[in-house]
Amino acid sequence: MISNFLFLISDIMQFPIENFRELTTPFYYYDMALFERTVKAMLESASNVDYSVHYAIKACSASEILEVIRRYGLGVDCVSGWEVKAALNAGIMPQKIVFAGVGKQDAEIESAIDADIFCFNVESVEELEIINLIAGKKCKKARVCLRINPDIDAHTHHHITTGLKEDKFGIQMEDMEKAVALCQQLHNIEFIGLHFHIGSQITEMQPYIDLCSRVNDLVGSLESKGFEVKNINVGGGLGIDYKEPDEHSIPDFASFFGVFKKHLRLRSGQTLHFELGRSLVGQCGSLITRVIYVKHGKEKNFVIADAGMTDLIRPALYGAYHRIDNLTSSSSEYGVYDVVGPICESSDVFVRDYKMPLTQRGDLLAIRSAGAYGEVMASQYNMRPLPKHIISAVD
Ligand SMILES: *Cc1c(COP(=O)(O)O)cnc(C)c1O
């Protein structure tokens, strides 16, 4: 059995399929047709309710992905000045760019003000004052949303929660009113709304329902004090199905947006913004890697791949699970393997005790659902080259 994948890849690379063993690995493969279907499905669900959606560029910043984002008219969410530059270079309109991050440097702030982006999502009073200072030197007003930490448990891995009191992100709720009042006093700041982001890979809707009621309370209390909140940005975090990527290749956007439609009170003239990363791009990418050795140990059999934690760090960093398909084994028998990389770290393991068709040296594996937080997190540890990517033709 040679899977669909390999036909796609050999098609793109003009590579005769009989010679798959000579493909240079590892590399990321992005299924652009699936990506477009995902973006369309999301936009359909969001357009029923007229929401403004920003793609979180840090999930995957491949130029081909950004080109689709631009073509479909999405905005982008950036967390560094370099991401702002990449978005502008990709032709994204400045009015569609938002910029978050707890540690924005002066030079990053400066260039974002020069570019006249839609807004800064400001994470502290200290940052607010520096943005005011820099905007003042340029005789400009910077638009800001205040990122508020809503103290909501997203029930996800503790390394990817962002909205709990003890997380470093955002301004504490009890300091919100003072921060909004400060915005009114600072001459070069224009307060335009509130921003939230509670975490990532969130698969239950309850945390979002909790977020809605928290946002209702916070916006209500500001309005009762006479502050206008024109924009509400509820961030991203919608999860994907890492276990069954083919059965659930497109997340349930309708339910996700439905929660906000039902539970969030929007006044007329208020705009609701989202920042989606993983849910748009996660299922579209696979890391293609070759088996270097199958090592038979005493207790275990190891499949040693030529990709490692330098190419995809999620399993080592978060204990994340990725499904792995053997693209080239034709065996109807199964083995149980630890699939590991070649890096000199014990945490360089993709998955333990994993059942796969009998695998041998030279086989190609697809590590699935690797489109988000994959290629962008690659490093050169052990002096390895960064992985490249190829894309499928769009249908
Ligand atoms: C990372 C991030 C997102 C996107 O998160 P996903 O889980 O990929 O949807 C959105 N907003 C902010 C501020 C982020 O840091």
Side-chain angles (χ1 to χ4, degrees):
M1 185 226 35
I2 294 184
S3 93
N4 262 346
F5 259 105
L6 213 53
F7 282 113
L8 272 171
I9 292 165
S10 77
D11 177 43
I12 303 152
M13 300 183 97
Q14 306 290 305
F15 201 90
I17 202 149
E18 315 78 71
N19 297 345
F20 70 83
R21 285 176 198 281
E22 288 159 37
L23 271 173
T24 303
T25 48
F27 60 89
Y28 277 88
Y29 165 73
Y30 297 116
D31 180 342
M32 297 307 285
L34 175 60
F35 183 54
E36 288 215 20
R37 286 202 303 279
T38 308
V39 169
K40 276 187 205 157
M42 183 280 293
L43 283 175
E44 252 162 52
S45 308
S47 67
N48 293 334
V49 279
D50 197 23
Y51 295 153
S52 172
V53 178
H54 305 259
Y55 169 63
I57 200 172
K58 76 174 186 290
C60 178
S61 48
S63 60
E64 298 90 342
I65 295 286
L66 296 186
E67 167 54 24
V68 173
I69 293 297
R70 184 198 63 76
R71 194 147 40 79
Y72 280 87
L74 270 69
V76 300
D77 161 49
C78 301
V79 291
S80 81
W82 294 276
E83 287 188 354
V84 173
K85 281 194 187 127
L88 292 168
N89 286 340
I92 309 281
M93 313 267 264
Q95 312 89 274
K96 296 192 169 194
I97 298 177
V98 299
F99 181 11
V102 290
K104 301 182 191 74
Q105 299 175 36
D106 294 17
E108 294 176 279
I109 293 171
E110 239 178 81
S111 53
I113 290 175
D114 288 341
D116 203 21
I117 63 166
F118 175 64
C119 86
F120 290 88
N121 290 330
V122 172
E123 310 225 8
S124 65
V125 167
E126 291 79 0
E127 179 192 333
L128 196 58
E129 284 170 348
I130 294 302
I131 293 176
N132 181 58
L133 205 72
I134 295 173
K137 283 191 194 141
K138 296 176 181 293
C139 301
K140 286 196 173 176
K141 256 190 174 207
R143 286 173 294 276
V144 310
C145 281
L146 295 181
R147 177 171 182 173
I148 307 300
N149 182 329
D151 194 24
I152 301 266
D153 190 348
H155 303 295
T156 183
H157 192 277
H158 64 281
H159 283 169
I160 51 177
T161 68
T162 54
L164 281 174
K165 265 209 292 277
E166 58 267 31
D167 292 320
K168 69 177 175 179
F169 300 98
I171 294 169
Q172 298 301 323
M173 284 181 287
E174 49 275 26
D175 301 330
M176 174 185 74
E177 208 183 298
K178 261 200 329 230
V180 176
L182 178 62
C183 287
Q184 318 289 337
Q185 288 163 20
L186 297 174
H187 292 300
N188 300 93
I189 295 288
E190 183 189 353
F191 171 76
I192 64 164
L194 297 180
H195 172 241
F196 306 86
H197 174 63
I198 58 174
S200 202
Q201 185 51 20
I202 300 168
T203 50
E204 303 160 29
M205 288 301 119
Q206 191 58 45
Y208 289 117
I209 296 173
D210 298 345
L211 175 63
C212 287
S213 80
R214 184 57 54 80
V215 173
N216 289 338
D217 290 350
L218 293 173
V219 171
S221 91
L222 283 180
E223 286 177 342
S224 72
K225 304 262 161 52
F227 297 116
E228 193 189 357
V229 182
K230 278 189 233 150
N231 296 276
I232 300 173
N233 183 336
V234 289
L238 179 61
I240 61 171
D241 190 343
Y242 282 94
K243 293 226 161 71
E244 305 287 358
D246 294 319
E247 284 76 356
H248 301 121
S249 56
I250 298 182
D252 186 357
F253 292 111
S255 300
F256 174 69
F257 290 122
V259 163
F260 293 90
K261 174 145 184 67
K262 180 162 176 212
H263 297 277
L264 194 85
R265 223 178 311 121
L266 268 194
R267 312 266 189 284
S268 73
Q270 259 175 349
T271 306
L272 185 58
H273 300 256
F274 292 85
E275 300 165 338
L276 299 176
R278 187 193 313 269
S279 54
L280 289 176
V281 76
Q283 297 291 32
C284 309
S286 292
L287 175 59
I288 310 296
T289 176
R290 184 189 312 277
V291 175
I292 314 175
Y293 303 110
V294 179
K295 172 171 157 179
H296 298 283
K298 204 160 184 185
E299 309 265 313
K300 295 226 172 203
N301 294 319
F302 297 97
V303 164
I304 303 174
D306 63 2
M309 63 192 289
T310 51
D311 306 292
L312 178 65
I313 200 176
R314 298 188 67 260
L317 191 60
Y318 312 126
Y321 173 84
H322 287 265
R323 183 191 161 95
I324 301 180
D325 292 335
N326 188 324
L327 300 180
T328 48
S329 172
S330 49
S331 179
S332 53
E333 280 175 65
Y334 284 80
V336 175
Y337 306 99
D338 280 15
V339 181
V340 304
I343 310 301
C344 294
E345 295 289 337
S346 306
S347 57
D348 185 29
V349 175
F350 289 116
V351 62
R352 291 181 206 277
D353 301 319
Y354 191 73
K355 198 172 154 204
M356 255 194 325
L358 285 186
T359 296
Q360 54 182 348
R361 171 177 167 83
D363 279 348
L364 287 181
L365 309 178
I367 305 180
R368 305 290 306 280
S369 313
Y373 309 107
E375 187 182 4
V376 284
M377 284 200 188
S379 80
Q380 292 200 289
Y381 183 42
N382 290 189
M383 294 184 78
R384 288 162 59 84
L386 291 173
K388 298 196 171 14
H389 68 251
I390 63 169
I391 61 163
S392 66
V394 180
D395 58 7

